[in-house]
Amino acid sequence: MRRLSEMHGWNTMLFKTQKAEDKRVKRIYGNWKLLIKSLLIKEKISKKYEGMGKAGGSKPSKGHVHKFPVKSRRKDKVTGEMVQKCSCGLVVPVESCEEEL
């Protein structure tokens, strides 16, 4: 009877060890999957906004040309510098807009 009890305990321990190992491996593969997906998304975004630079630039995207009406000029609340806003939502400093014209 004692041997049977020891075998049951041994099997239980093996089962728990195997279950913990499976859980660890599943987490490892999940982390790799998340990393690869993130890198693919980053690459896709990089290609989409390639060449836009720090301030956003004015590279046309799918037929859109950035236009900055004079009335869109305003003072940025955070930096305090004058900025212009395109209809698409792109905000750039006034100096960089005047250089492109």
Side-chain angles (χ1 to χ4, degrees), residues 21-54:
E21 179 66 15
D22 290 345
K23 185 177 177 180
R24 187 181 75 85
V25 168
K26 184 177 179 180
R27 191 178 80 233
I28 289 170
Y29 281 111
N31 287 343
W32 275 104
K33 184 178 176 181
L34 183 64
L35 175 67
I36 291 169
K37 280 185 175 182
S38 299
L39 290 173
L40 289 171
I41 290 169
K42 181 182 176 190
E43 183 67 24
K44 183 178 178 180
I45 290 172
S46 294
K47 284 182 181 180
K48 182 176 180 179
Y49 295 105
E50 187 176 88
M52 293 198 60
K54 186 178 178 183

Side-chain angles (χ1 to χ4, degrees), residues 80-94:
E81 65 181 354
M82 292 299 291
V83 294
Q84 286 184 327
K85 185 175 180 180
C86 178
S87 62
C88 70
L90 176 70
V91 178
V92 294
V94 172

